[in-house]
Amino acid sequence: MKREEFNLKYAAFLENGFPGLVIDGSRFIDQLDIYFNEITRIKGFKYYKISEGNHLTLVMKTNISRILPTLGWSMESKMEEDLCYILDVEKQVKKIIKEIENGKNTGI
């Protein structure tokens, strides 16, 4: 799934005037979709922006911590941690593939 498809699929939950998902990455988006299939069942859920921060961090802005004050922070933190890991792995794999294609990495 592409980010445009993700934002269309979850358009009803995207707060007006916000960009939504701005990161590409198939495995990343697939996992995010799994999470959103669950958290969009929470009445009143909205998301604003999901983007990359500095130094391989993920910026995930939702209202989940306001809806579920105690559990929401924990849920969002765990999702960010898992998604950040996937994002990092995807980047490292792409980098190695590019190095191999350019003859800078023999794969050993």
Side-chain angles (χ1 to χ4, degrees):
M1 178 182 307
K2 303 264 185 214
R3 66 180 170 183
E4 295 83 6
E5 295 170 294
F6 180 90
N7 285 326
L8 281 174
K9 180 176 180 179
Y10 294 104
F13 302 97
L14 179 57
E15 188 67 41
N16 289 332
F18 289 89
L21 177 63
V22 297
I23 301 172
D24 282 318
S26 58
R27 298 218 189 280
F28 171 83
I29 295 173
D30 290 346
Q31 184 61 46
L32 183 62
D33 184 44
I34 291 168
Y35 288 139
F36 266 54
N37 277 325
E38 297 299 321
I39 63 176
T40 55
R41 296 177 189 188
I42 300 169
K43 186 178 179 176
F45 172 77
K46 292 286 185 183
Y47 76 109
Y48 311 98
K49 184 178 183 181
I50 302 168
S51 64
E52 290 182 75
N54 296 327
H55 307 291
L56 299 173
T57 61
L58 181 69
V59 177
M60 188 167 168
K61 300 291 183 188
T62 73
N63 68 345
I64 196 81
S65 60
R66 285 189 298 248
I67 296 171
L68 303 169
T70 305
L71 182 60
W73 288 105
S74 178
M75 288 172 59
E76 196 168 73
S77 176
K78 180 62 176 155
M79 285 187 295
E80 284 180 347
E81 180 183 324
D82 292 350
L83 292 166
C84 192
Y85 177 78
I86 293 168
L87 191 61
D88 183 37
V89 169
E90 282 188 333
K91 283 183 175 187
Q92 294 301 322
V93 168
K94 286 178 184 178
K95 179 183 172 190
I96 291 168
I97 289 170
K98 193 171 193 171
E99 288 175 354
I100 291 170
E101 289 173 347
N102 292 331
K104 295 181 180 177
N105 186 328
T106 61
I108 297 175

